[in-house]
Amino acid sequence: MPRPTLLVITLLVASLMAIAESVASETHLEFSTVTGYFLQDEPSTDPDTFDYVAANFGLIPRSYDSDAEFDPDSRKSQWERFAHHLEQLNANSGPETSYRLLYLGRHGEGYHNVAERRYGTELWDCYWALQDGDANTTWVDARLTAVGIAQAETARAAWSAQIDAGIPPPQAYYVSPLNRCLATASITFLGLKMPHTQPFRPVVKELLRETLGLHTCDSRSPRSAIAAEYPQYIFERGFAEHDPLYDAAWRESDSARDVRLRALLSDICARDPSTVLSLTAHSGAITSLLNVAGHRRFALATGAVIPVLVRVERVPGPAPEMRVDPPSGAPVCKVGMESKGVGEVVVEVVEGA
């Protein structure tokens, strides 16, 4: 039996997750970003220059309606007042509405990131991303570089500083099954003075992955290999031994990725009542999560973190259909142009391909 295309797999997984979401009745979850709390929400904040560490994760210094009752003497920190305000938002909302604080963390630099810089994005997309590696290294299920490890350690130090300032800590942790995210989450959170970090047992979620297909760096290791390296991590129910989503011939479209990440967020919010959630993922996955939540586009550097306050509402009826573009193959390359400098295998991107 021929292997289903990536598009069919993506839609099938998303459909199954949507069915699981509406167990009792035909309902669905709608997501919207509540702005005005973090600098990353503001159009004036430049993602290319923003420093989440120096800016206290982007928390905006401001007052809240709940301050008068909670902090009449103005002795509480900004984070403590925000945490109380979040509690009040949920306390005063109806049974079908909740407010969730998502900490979205991108993995530290991986060997695939280094290779893309070395060869350039065009050569990376049309040739090198399809290989297992080069003479320097391998990037199948890419691991963190020394720089990536340092970036995760920076995130850990940033979290430690915010703990002292009263940041509401995650009540649940989720992580992509790709190694660079598994490692980033461990370095960042293991043993921190926060709940659920001693031991640190995040839930590994299949759909939290980077854009699917083609690029070998985005294929995952077998479940048994992940469990051997991270024995404390929890696999979601049904997590397969071998990668069910990677397709060496096709690359998932951005719109299909949006559908997949919407299914993931719906699944988490339907099953997990936690108010504060940590998700360690990838640039593409975080782009889709922000898009699904109605947040403005905000590209994260490797190792960076963005907090997002999301309003979640359960509404009657099936979820509205989302447009899904088909997957695409690799850009066409041709032999030639030694100036490209890729060793024995030299390729040139065909103009207009």
Side-chain angles (χ1 to χ4, degrees), residues 39-57:
L39 291 170
Q40 296 93 321
D41 303 339
E42 306 298 314
S44 59
T45 302
D46 184 355
D48 293 333
T49 59
F50 183 73
D51 184 347
Y52 82 98
V53 177
N56 296 323
F57 284 25

Side-chain angles (χ1 to χ4, degrees), residues 104-107 112-113 176 178 180-181 207-212 218 251-262 264 280-292 297-302:
L104 308 178
R106 185 183 176 191
H107 63 79
H112 64 305
N113 300 124
S176 160
L178 300 189
R180 53 195 183 270
C181 288
L207 296 188
L208 193 50
R209 296 165 59 163
E210 183 57 291
T211 309
L212 300 170
D218 298 327
R251 187 73 168 166
E252 182 182 35
S253 66
D254 290 351
S255 56
R257 190 186 63 211
D258 285 351
V259 170
R260 172 166 58 89
L261 270 298
R262 188 196 181 283
L264 170 98
T280 304
H282 311 262
S283 60
I286 292 172
T287 294
S288 285
L289 285 169
L290 293 178
N291 190 36
V292 166
R297 188 177 181 87
F298 198 95
L300 294 187
T302 49

Side-chain angles (χ1 to χ4, degrees), residues 11-307:
L11 292 177
L12 177 61
V13 171
S15 298
L16 291 174
M17 300 292 276
I19 292 171
E21 176 192 331
S22 54
V23 175
S25 61
E26 187 71 13
T27 63
H28 70 279
L29 297 181
E30 290 187 349
F31 306 98
S32 58
T33 296
V34 187
T35 60
Y37 294 94
F38 298 99
L39 291 170
Q40 296 93 321
D41 303 339
E42 306 298 314
S44 59
T45 302
D46 184 355
D48 293 333
T49 59
F50 183 73
D51 184 347
Y52 82 98
V53 177
N56 296 323
F57 284 25
L59 183 65
I60 296 174
R62 51 161 289 187
S63 61
Y64 308 113
D65 294 340
S66 54
D67 284 352
E69 173 266 331
F70 178 67
D71 188 26
D73 299 325
S74 301
R75 294 182 179 179
K76 304 292 186 181
S77 72
Q78 186 70 51
W79 274 120
E80 288 172 326
R81 290 188 292 108
F82 171 79
H84 178 74
H85 180 65
L86 178 56
E87 290 177 1
Q88 293 303 111
L89 286 175
N90 278 309
N92 296 326
S93 64
E96 303 301 331
T97 301
S98 64
Y99 291 84
R100 310 292 187 103
L101 177 60
L102 309 181
Y103 296 117
L104 308 178
R106 185 183 176 191
H107 63 79
E109 179 192 76
Y111 283 100
H112 64 305
N113 300 124
V114 175
E116 183 174 357
R117 287 200 304 272
R118 177 186 302 127
Y119 296 116
T121 298
E122 286 186 322
L123 275 176
W124 172 255
D125 285 342
C126 78
Y127 180 76
W128 285 110
L130 284 62
Q131 311 306 312
D132 290 348
D134 60 10
N136 301 292
T137 188
T138 180
W139 49 71
V140 175
D141 192 5
R143 291 178 172 267
L144 296 180
T145 65
V147 170
I149 293 172
Q151 290 171 337
E153 290 171 342
T154 295
R156 179 183 181 85
W159 271 103
S160 183
Q162 298 307 319
I163 292 169
D164 293 338
I167 191 172
Q171 298 160 332
Y173 298 83
Y174 296 94
V175 63
S176 160
L178 300 189
N179 190 275
R180 53 195 183 270
C181 288
L182 301 171
T184 297
S186 178
I187 295 167
T188 301
F189 293 115
L190 178 62
L192 273 182
K193 295 179 180 179
M194 295 197 303
H196 313 298
T197 60
Q198 301 182 42
F200 179 54
R201 305 198 69 198
V203 177
V204 182
K205 299 287 283 184
E206 189 79 85
L207 296 188
L208 193 50
R209 296 165 59 163
E210 183 57 291
T211 309
L212 300 170
L214 275 181
H215 296 192
T216 59
C217 60
D218 298 327
S219 62
R220 74 159 169 86
S221 301
R223 171 176 174 153
S224 55
I226 297 172
E229 188 168 3
Y230 297 97
Q232 296 288 346
Y233 285 18
I234 300 169
F235 293 96
E236 66 179 331
R237 189 169 64 176
F239 193 90
E241 168 65 13
H242 297 291
D243 191 342
L245 299 181
Y246 178 75
D247 190 322
W250 299 102
R251 187 73 168 166
E252 182 182 35
S253 66
D254 290 351
S255 56
R257 190 186 63 211
D258 285 351
V259 170
R260 172 166 58 89
L261 270 298
R262 188 196 181 283
L264 170 98
L265 190 57
S266 295
D267 176 62
I268 290 175
C269 290
R271 298 173 185 272
D272 190 339
S274 301
T275 298
V276 188
L277 305 164
S278 167
L279 288 79
T280 304
H282 311 262
S283 60
I286 292 172
T287 294
S288 285
L289 285 169
L290 293 178
N291 190 36
V292 166
H295 194 282
R296 77 183 186 103
R297 188 177 181 87
F298 198 95
L300 294 187
T302 49
V305 178
I306 180 172

